[in-house]
Amino acid sequence: MPAYTIFNEAHKSFGAKMIDFGGWEMPIHYGSQLSEHLHTRTSASLFDVSHMAVVDCFGSDSSAFLTYLLANNIHKLKAPGMGLYSCMLNHEGGIIDDLIVYRLEDRYRLVINASTANSDLIWINEQAKAFKNIALIPRRDGLNHCIEPEVLLAVQGPLSLKVLSEAFPTIANELEKLTYFHVSYLATQFGRLMFARTGYTGEDGFEISIPISQGQFVWDYLLNLSSDLKPAGLGARDTLRIEAGYNLYGQDMNTQTSPLDSGLSWTVDLKSERNFIGKSHLIQDGQQFDFLGLVLLGKGIIRSHQKVVTPSGLGEICSGTYSPSLEKSIGLARLPKGQILGSIVQVIIRDQEIDAQLVKPQFVRRGQILI
């Protein structure tokens, strides 16, 4: 039996095509993935991301615990309201999950991936045993020991601030002042909601944590209020994130790959003296591969696991798709070290070698084409 978010019936009422997504029945699109993608680049879209899991970390040992648990340095969170992207590694330096951690007034909040939530919690609780004053509280309904569950909605696109300011006029100024990767609890007609100015699409956007009892009201209210806002499915979310150059867990990284080989070395703190899980292996092994973008120059679509022929050996496509913004096929690949940006390699598609150009792994951000 798949799991369902509370918006399942609402998705179906909008004509969504539902698919199994890591054990969750979720909308892939509401009629046209292409239209939803382009609408997000020019207006604003509403995404149900309630299958992701929120976990709150309380206690005086929280900071020390997360310092040990995460590859990025949470001491960068110098004040409440700041957020940080990080990988959580196993002892061999492989990526168990990627997540966002927020520092709040009385706790830290982790937002972890849907498909890994249960195994993540087992791992996190196991590591927490070495720390005395820690309390881990899941906020996603259905997770063991969940208290006061919440749902997550994302409003993404260049008009997202406009949409939310019209929906919540009393907090419009606070929303405008909220800078990227910052979070704030703000009073609305649905109670105090957590607004985080983050996103996965490469556009301006907000993710909203809502008490589960208010979730459906907020969904209905936002879509009924604004003609600029339309629901979008996970299909558009995936093509948007590849264009933005954001990794997807399970495709671009997993427990067998290190963040250094996944284009995420910028998230790994190897300079400070602090110890964290997997650090010794990262130092010992170093970076083994380049992680780059590709633009296909011939016909075809780049897909996961296709091989890439380079002058220094074979590489592999991690993620690939047709880019609606570029009207070309693009991908993210793990390649032998030493590749030169701008050079031509070949992607093997149906036994044919198709030329592709190597580029930085960011294709579109804030509506601007970057290649």
Side-chain angles (χ1 to χ4, degrees):
M1 284 287 291
Y4 307 97
T5 76
I6 65 165
F7 307 107
N8 188 271
E9 290 303 318
H11 296 317
K12 293 176 179 175
S13 73
F14 274 92
K17 179 180 180 181
M18 307 299 286
I19 62 164
D20 179 84
F21 186 86
W24 290 76
E25 187 178 84
M26 299 296 291
I28 186 72
H29 61 70
Y30 299 84
S32 171
Q33 179 177 329
L34 178 64
S35 295
E36 291 161 23
H37 178 111
L38 297 174
H39 183 79
T40 309
R41 286 270 179 252
T42 57
S43 185
S45 296
L46 182 63
F47 297 87
D48 172 17
V49 288
S50 303
H51 54 316
M52 300 182 71
V54 172
V55 181
D56 285 337
C57 183
F58 292 89
S60 58
D61 284 342
S62 295
S63 178
F65 169 58
L66 294 174
T67 296
Y68 176 64
L69 183 73
L70 301 178
N72 209 338
N73 190 345
I74 68 156
H75 295 293
K76 295 176 182 176
L77 303 177
K78 297 186 181 302
M82 299 179 69
L84 183 73
Y85 174 81
S86 180
C87 291
M88 180 170 66
L89 307 180
N90 57 29
H91 292 294
E92 292 72 41
I95 303 173
I96 291 175
D97 201 3
D98 64 328
L99 54 86
I100 295 177
V101 55
Y102 297 109
R103 180 180 170 184
L104 305 178
E105 291 288 348
D106 60 342
R107 64 194 186 279
Y108 290 91
R109 167 162 286 197
L110 309 178
V111 183
I112 60 182
N113 281 303
S115 60
T116 54
N118 286 302
S119 57
D120 280 5
L121 280 172
I122 292 171
W123 174 262
I124 292 170
N125 278 291
E126 186 65 28
Q127 308 314 311
K129 289 179 180 177
F131 297 82
K132 292 182 179 178
N133 191 358
I134 289 284
L136 295 161
I137 308 295
R139 302 297 190 190
R140 191 184 77 186
D141 196 27
L143 290 173
N144 288 336
H145 310 296
C146 174
I147 297 174
E148 298 177 346
E150 300 180 5
V151 292
L152 290 174
L153 293 176
V155 177
Q156 294 286 310
L159 299 187
S160 56
L161 176 61
K162 174 179 178 289
V163 167
L164 291 179
S165 296
E166 291 173 352
F168 307 111
T170 59
I171 59 169
N173 288 338
E174 286 88 345
L175 290 172
E176 186 173 8
K177 292 176 184 174
L178 196 63
T179 54
Y180 189 57
F181 253 74
H182 282 70
V183 62
S184 183
Y185 273 91
L186 299 172
T188 75
Q189 58 270 50
F190 303 99
R192 285 175 58 80
L193 308 181
M194 193 187 92
F195 291 83
R197 200 162 192 171
T198 59
Y200 200 49
T201 63
E203 298 295 336
D204 190 14
F206 297 81
E207 294 186 341
I208 314 170
S209 298
I210 308 162
I212 197 168
S213 62
Q214 298 297 304
Q216 189 64 60
F217 296 118
V218 176
W219 169 276
D220 293 339
Y221 174 69
L222 291 174
L223 288 174
N224 289 331
L225 184 73
S226 175
S227 59
D228 293 320
L229 186 70
K230 295 180 180 179
L234 297 183
R237 190 165 178 260
D238 192 47
T239 52
L240 288 159
R241 73 92 191 163
I242 294 181
E243 285 187 353
Y246 292 132
N247 290 26
L248 178 65
Y249 192 80
Q251 289 194 20
D252 303 298
M253 52 190 168
N254 55 44
T255 56
Q256 304 301 309
T257 58
S258 88
L260 305 183
D261 294 334
S262 304
L264 297 173
S265 57
W266 62 276
T267 71
V268 180
D269 170 34
L270 292 178
K271 294 182 179 178
S272 72
E273 294 183 355
R274 77 182 179 97
N275 189 30
F276 60 85
I277 297 172
K279 180 179 181 178
S280 60
H281 269 269
L282 295 185
I283 293 173
Q284 175 184 312
D285 297 340
Q287 182 180 340
Q288 303 287 317
F289 298 94
D290 287 339
F291 189 84
L292 295 174
L294 297 95
V295 178
L296 198 67
L297 302 179
K299 292 183 178 179
I301 300 294
I302 298 176
R303 298 295 186 196
S304 302
H305 305 305
Q306 291 169 341
K307 298 300 180 186
V308 183
V309 180
T310 80
S312 45
L314 288 177
E316 184 173 8
I317 299 294
C318 301
S319 291
T321 189
Y322 172 78
S323 163
S325 300
L326 278 66
E327 298 183 339
K328 298 176 181 176
S329 185
I330 61 173
L332 303 172
R334 193 170 287 112
L335 305 170
K337 281 190 69 176
Q339 303 305 311
I340 300 172
L341 287 175
S343 63
I344 305 300
V345 296
Q346 288 74 42
V347 181
I348 301 177
I349 302 176
R350 296 182 178 178
D351 298 325
Q352 291 188 320
E353 294 187 2
I354 311 296
D355 285 351
Q357 187 171 31
L358 297 179
V359 298
K360 291 182 179 179
Q362 290 183 357
F363 304 91
V364 182
R365 288 277 181 97
R366 300 288 177 127
Q368 300 296 313
I369 292 175
L370 303 178
I371 60 170

